Amino acid sequence: MPTQPEFGRRMRELRLRAGMSQAELAGPGLSASYVSLLEGGKRVPSPEVVAELAERLGVAPRSLHAEDTGAPKQEAGDEIAGSAGRYAPGRIDLMELLFRARKEEEEGAFDAAAEQLTAVLDRHGDGPPDDMLWEVRWSLARVHGRNGRVDESRLLLRQLLDDPYTRSSTERRERVARHLAELSLRNGDLVAGLRFAQLAWTLAEPRQEASVAVRAGTVLVNACAWSGHRRWGREVADALVARISDEVPWRQRSAAYRESARLGLLTDDYAQARTWFERALEQIDPRQDINAWAEAQYYLAIAEFLVDQGLDEQVDERVARARPVIEVLGHTSMLVHLAVLEGHLALGRGQHDRARLMADAAVDAGAWPATHEVGVNLLWTARIYRALGDTSTAAAVYRRAGELCEQGGAMHFCASAWRELAELPAAQPLMDAADGTRRPGRNPAS
């Protein structure tokens, strides 16, 4: 049974490190007010609650016990005071300002939080590097990232990566590199995303804590998938899956299986992809992460479609489950993924009018910051138009796909787009209009 106030301090520290508010940490069975009481040392959680909190924070349960961290115990309110426990008046003021800014962040007031943190740096930023100023910069980078200020977040994170205080800790280097990779991948810089993901994996993989390695490895597999590094990605995916255990939080287990499975699709190992997508789906409670549940459903539908073992009815059921959720969520990327999938499913059944409808929906859905993803989805969409014999539309979509893939750094897919565009005048429909027979080249994931 954890003791207080050590548990509450450690819980708050891990929550802030994860960039979560009390409301975000709360969920089914746990209210934001209860989370606040736990952090304030006014409640002692049961072992079941400890396990659930650890899973949501992405750490092993033992990480919530201050005595297990190897760090000296600190007095209340001193979780960022540093190993030296310095209490100079200026330092106490700095702590107060930082906590005030983090409270603004927890409440979703990102502009106010950024203003507070910027004021701290303006006042104290010229001092020597230490743990507290590092936390201020880290918090500001996180706030900018959550508020859509990508350039400011990226600049701060790169400065942190070169900071002496960051370089003195493998854990801090891995954390900054992984966030840089995730930020880059979400915002269309695949080259930087791949570079930082590789650094994070190199730092995390040798560590004993499986959750750290799994989290970093998942980002690298994602980067490999979009950049076309299939062999390398598969090697990392195999190592990643081997590290998955019950100590790894379910969200991380699910994400690791999903990204590894996508690599299986790209390397034409459809049976393995299907197995990994099934495992991903087993990890997800849709009441806690409906977004991941819907994504796993439609990707598993792709894998089952490609296995081609008479699973059409099962594929239709999965798509029918995922579609209303995705439409309610309204995420552009998921809507496009689903439209492309349904377009290829329609092609496989000779339903050409529906295939065109889905292709048009994918093109008209718009773009999102991950430029490489937009380009690759347009490549798959161009293949639908090509299969339908609409060479003029296919040519325009291929051209746009090539441009966006090049812009985002997905050079493998960029080469495919320009090659298929060059071959377009001689291309034949991939589906026979009479019998709807599937022919090579219609893999929507390759």
Side-chain angles (χ1 to χ4, degrees), residues 90-400:
R91 186 174 178 83
I92 295 175
D93 292 342
L94 186 55
M95 289 173 58
E96 182 180 351
L97 289 170
L98 178 56
F99 283 130
R100 190 181 305 163
R102 285 180 167 173
K103 183 174 178 57
E104 298 280 7
E105 181 186 355
E106 289 172 9
E107 296 174 352
F110 300 126
D111 287 339
E115 184 177 344
Q116 290 269 5
L117 292 164
T118 301
V120 171
L121 290 179
D122 288 343
R123 187 182 305 177
H124 303 280
D126 293 333
D130 66 3
D131 54 335
M132 188 172 298
L133 285 174
W134 192 94
E135 290 288 346
V136 172
R137 292 186 175 93
W138 171 256
S139 295
L140 184 56
R142 187 176 59 228
V143 168
H144 282 329
R146 296 178 68 181
N147 208 22
R149 297 173 179 173
V150 177
D151 291 340
E152 292 94 330
S153 180
R154 183 185 293 114
L155 177 61
L156 277 168
L157 287 170
R158 292 195 179 195
Q159 290 173 346
L160 280 177
L161 196 61
D162 293 330
D163 190 284
Y165 187 70
T166 305
R167 293 200 303 267
S168 68
S169 164
T170 299
E171 184 272 335
R172 282 189 289 271
R173 288 185 68 207
E174 183 276 328
R175 196 189 343 161
V176 175
R178 175 167 46 81
H179 273 71
L180 267 168
E182 292 169 342
L183 183 72
S184 299
L185 293 172
R186 286 196 306 269
N187 292 280
D189 191 349
L190 182 55
V191 174
L194 183 64
R195 182 172 72 253
F196 291 123
Q198 180 183 10
L199 174 59
W201 171 251
T202 301
L203 294 168
E205 198 275 334
R207 296 177 60 181
Q208 292 184 351
E209 189 171 356
S211 63
V212 176
V214 168
R215 195 163 48 216
T218 300
V219 179
L220 180 55
V221 170
N222 176 280
C224 287
W226 293 111
S227 61
H229 291 286
R230 301 180 178 188
R231 182 177 299 177
W232 180 24
R234 185 56 188 267
E235 290 175 357
V236 177
D238 289 340
L240 175 62
V241 169
R243 296 293 296 271
I244 295 176
S245 67
D246 290 340
E247 290 190 1
V248 178
W250 68 266
R251 293 181 192 274
Q252 293 180 24
R253 294 198 302 266
S254 172
Y257 279 128
R258 291 200 307 275
E259 294 302 337
S260 299
R262 285 207 286 195
L263 247 296
L265 293 181
L266 291 170
T267 55
D268 301 328
D269 191 349
Y270 307 141
Q272 181 66 78
R274 180 187 176 193
T275 297
W276 281 340
F277 278 129
E278 287 174 339
R279 290 183 185 176
L281 199 56
E282 290 171 358
Q283 314 300 317
I284 302 170
D285 181 348
R287 295 170 299 179
Q288 298 189 39
D289 195 340
I290 191 66
N291 186 89
W293 179 86
E295 181 185 78
Q297 288 283 2
Y298 70 69
Y299 267 115
L300 180 52
I302 293 175
E304 289 173 338
F305 175 64
L306 295 175
V307 168
D308 199 14
Q309 293 179 349
L311 299 172
D312 284 1
E313 183 175 342
Q314 189 166 311
V315 169
D316 286 339
E317 290 177 359
R318 293 197 185 282
V319 173
R321 291 191 204 110
R323 186 189 300 112
V325 175
I326 293 171
E327 289 174 350
V328 169
L329 291 172
H331 295 169
T332 302
S333 60
M334 295 181 72
L335 288 168
V336 172
H337 287 315
L338 184 61
V340 173
L341 165 62
E342 293 198 78
H344 281 275
L345 288 174
L347 279 179
R349 295 161 183 167
Q351 300 168 348
H352 293 170
D353 287 345
R354 179 161 180 77
R356 178 178 294 278
L357 181 66
M358 292 297 100
D360 291 345
V363 171
D364 294 340
W368 60 97
T371 310
H372 52 282
E373 290 190 28
V374 181
V376 172
N377 276 280
L378 285 176
L379 169 61
W380 299 337
T381 307
R383 289 169 178 166
I384 296 177
Y385 289 118
R386 182 185 66 181
L388 295 171
D390 186 351
T391 55
S392 60
T393 304
V397 178
Y398 269 127
R399 190 171 294 107
R400 184 59 177 156

